[in-house]
Structures are given as structure tokens and as C-alpha cells.
Amino acid sequence: MTPFDLSISSSHYLALARERHRTGISRLSEELARMLDDAAYDCGLNKEHVDILIDPSNWSAAVRDENKKPRVFLDSRVNQRGNAEINWAGGDFDILYDEDFLTRYANSARSSHSVPWRGLGELMWWRGYELLVGDVILRRSPAATALLYAHAARLKELASFLARHVNLVGAMALNFTYRDGEVTAADFVPTIPPDRLQELIQERERRTAARLREAVERIVPKE
């Protein structure tokens, strides 16, 4: 399998994974094969949640009145079950500009069960992510590699799409490490420099602290 190519679409990688699985070049486990059996599978993308995020009616009045776009950081997290979640309202870095959205929408996006089984902030959900990575690295499965590449490409496509509709301040991408032409690691990495990422994290902490102080001041009467 050749290295991941940013110019190749997720649909092309999915077709390649289906071909390799179907011809028996490398069979996938039943859990992973179910993705390929679904002709409409789109790498776990929840288009409805994406549409809600880019709908200006869900943005705060301040953002709309100033004719701006809300700030979004496309984050990621791998849960204890080995599934990967791509979320704009939660993740390992917890960079959230909830003031740029309607309060009820931001609160729902932060909740993991704001809609049945899922949260509104979740834009992609990759079932069996760690299992898939294991098949790529340990078993060196060409079908699994093509499937993993498909998810990496779809994540990049999602970030590119969001950048046209919101102020995408940063995102996560899958970074592959190779040795002798084989994948040895697949890690989520920020698409922005480390110093800029640290600035965003610190800025978020300052805004949160300021908001907590304001809340306390409203509750505790001044002497």
C-alpha cells in the first residue's frame, strides 16, 4: 500500500477497500466489514449535525449582527471502547467558543446524549477505530489500510468544507508514520502550530475563568 495521498478522495479509498476485501486480497473482521457492506457509508459523517452547525440560525446574535462567522475547532477523542469521535464542542483539547452560538444549541452540542445515542457536537463517529488501526499496523492488511485512509481523507474533506462556512481556527488530522513503506502509527494531530494551539487553550481557560467570576458576582451580593 502506498503512503496516504491527500489528493485522493475518501470515496476512492472506500472503493479500493471494498475491492480488496471482496477479492480476498485481505479480509476485514466482521465489525469492520459492515462499514463496507453499507453502500451509503460515509466514514461516520453525520451530515445532519454538520448542517445544523453551519446554519446561521444557530449562531449567536452578536455573530450574526456583526456579519461574522462563529469560531470552531474541530477536535477529536478516542473513547475507552476504541471508537473515535470528531467533535466541535468537545475533545481532548476542549477548545470551544460557545459564546458564538445560541446558548441552547451550545449546551446541546456539549451534551453527549442531546439527541438519541449521540451529541449534536459530534460530526463524525468512527466505530472500531483502534481495531482498524491494529489491523493496519499489526496485520498489514491492505483493505484495512485503504479503509483507514478513507477516514483520514474524509476528515480532511470535512475540515475543508467547514472552513468555507465557519471560522475554522484549527482542526485535527490523521498523521501516519511509516517504516519500510508500512504504517507503524496513526495519530490524531492538530493542523495548527503548537504555539498557536497553546494560545487557543489558554484563551479558552481565560474566558471560562472570567465567566465563572461573573456568575459568582451575580450570585453573591456586593457589600
Side-chain angles (χ1 to χ4, degrees):
M1 189 75 183
T2 57
F4 177 62
D5 188 338
L6 288 171
S7 67
I8 297 178
S9 68
S10 59
S11 59
H12 178 89
Y13 276 126
L14 276 175
L16 181 59
R18 289 189 174 99
E19 177 186 355
R20 293 186 167 181
H21 178 68
R22 183 177 61 253
T23 59
I25 294 177
S26 61
R27 301 288 294 178
L28 293 173
S29 66
E30 182 178 352
E31 181 176 354
L32 297 178
R34 282 199 294 267
M35 302 177 192
L36 302 181
D37 292 338
D38 181 0
Y41 183 68
D42 196 12
C43 298
L45 180 73
N46 192 321
K47 189 177 183 302
E48 182 181 359
H49 289 187
V50 174
D51 290 341
I52 293 172
L53 172 61
I54 66 175
D55 185 350
S57 66
N58 295 309
W59 304 351
S60 70
V63 168
R64 284 182 278 125
D65 291 346
E66 295 179 17
N67 197 28
K68 293 182 177 180
K69 296 178 180 180
R71 295 161 292 179
V72 170
F73 184 87
L74 191 60
D75 211 338
S76 66
R77 174 180 294 148
V78 179
N79 64 25
Q80 293 180 341
R81 294 187 176 182
N83 304 314
E85 175 186 306
I86 311 301
N87 199 310
W88 69 269
D92 287 342
F93 294 112
D94 194 30
I95 299 172
L96 173 63
Y97 298 89
D98 45 351
E99 64 269 29
D100 287 2
F101 299 90
L102 296 180
T103 300
R104 65 176 182 274
Y105 174 48
N107 289 341
S108 295
R110 277 196 296 261
S111 171
S112 58
H113 294 92
S114 52
V115 292
W117 309 112
R118 305 256 65 89
L120 280 177
E122 183 184 277
L123 304 184
M124 300 181 79
W125 186 66
W126 298 353
R127 179 192 293 274
Y129 169 72
E130 289 187 339
L131 174 62
L132 178 59
V133 172
D135 279 0
V136 171
I137 297 174
L138 302 177
R139 296 180 56 206
R140 298 187 176 182
S141 164
T145 302
L147 183 56
L148 183 60
Y149 283 0
H151 285 79
R154 196 67 184 97
L155 177 56
K156 176 183 177 296
E157 292 161 1
L158 172 61
S160 297
F161 175 81
L162 290 179
R164 297 195 295 270
H165 296 274
V166 299
N167 179 8
L168 192 67
V169 299
M172 301 298 285
L174 266 185
N175 180 68
F176 298 100
T177 303
Y178 298 88
R179 180 181 301 159
D180 298 327
E182 300 289 347
V183 177
T184 58
D187 303 296
F188 284 104
V189 297
T191 60
I192 55 178
D195 55 345
R196 177 55 180 156
L197 177 63
Q198 193 59 36
E199 288 176 5
L200 295 181
I201 295 173
Q202 292 173 349
E203 178 189 352
R204 166 66 174 163
E205 292 172 347
R206 287 194 295 269
R207 295 199 321 274
T208 300
R211 222 176 292 179
L212 288 174
R213 286 196 299 271
E214 292 174 359
V216 171
E217 290 172 357
R218 286 196 297 269
I219 296 173
V220 180
K222 295 182 180 179
E223 297 181 357

